[in-house]
Amino acid sequence: MLGEEEAVVLDVKPFDVHGVAYRDVTIAYKDRSVDHARLGPEGVPEHLEAGEVVLATKVANMVVSLRR
């Protein structure tokens, strides 16, 4: 199950694990459901901020990347 869905970024929290910059991201979909994802640098656009509209790529109902 692979798909994309438009969402609004509610929160982005950076954190570092062994020198790799990960992001905990909270997004909301048009139906008002909320999703959380912990993504590596390859899965998050640079300088992502709350309020931005993104396309969330989902595999098996898990967010695997965001793009503008």
Side-chain angles (χ1 to χ4, degrees):
M1 201 164 130
L2 175 68
E4 288 188 328
E5 192 169 351
E6 190 173 282
V8 175
V9 177
L10 299 177
D11 191 30
V12 180
K13 293 182 181 175
F15 70 98
D16 187 76
V17 175
H18 303 293
V20 179
Y22 286 87
R23 302 283 184 270
D24 276 339
V25 182
T26 304
I27 56 175
Y29 302 105
K30 288 183 179 181
D31 67 359
R32 296 183 179 227
S33 62
V34 176
D35 218 342
H36 305 278
R38 178 167 285 169
L39 302 170
E42 70 284 348
V44 180
E46 286 188 46
H47 311 294
L48 184 67
E49 295 183 16
E52 291 190 56
V53 176
V54 294
L55 280 177
T57 301
K58 297 172 79 173
V59 175
N61 244 6
M62 288 181 55
V63 176
V64 294
S65 70
L66 301 174
R67 66 184 173 92
R68 289 187 173 102

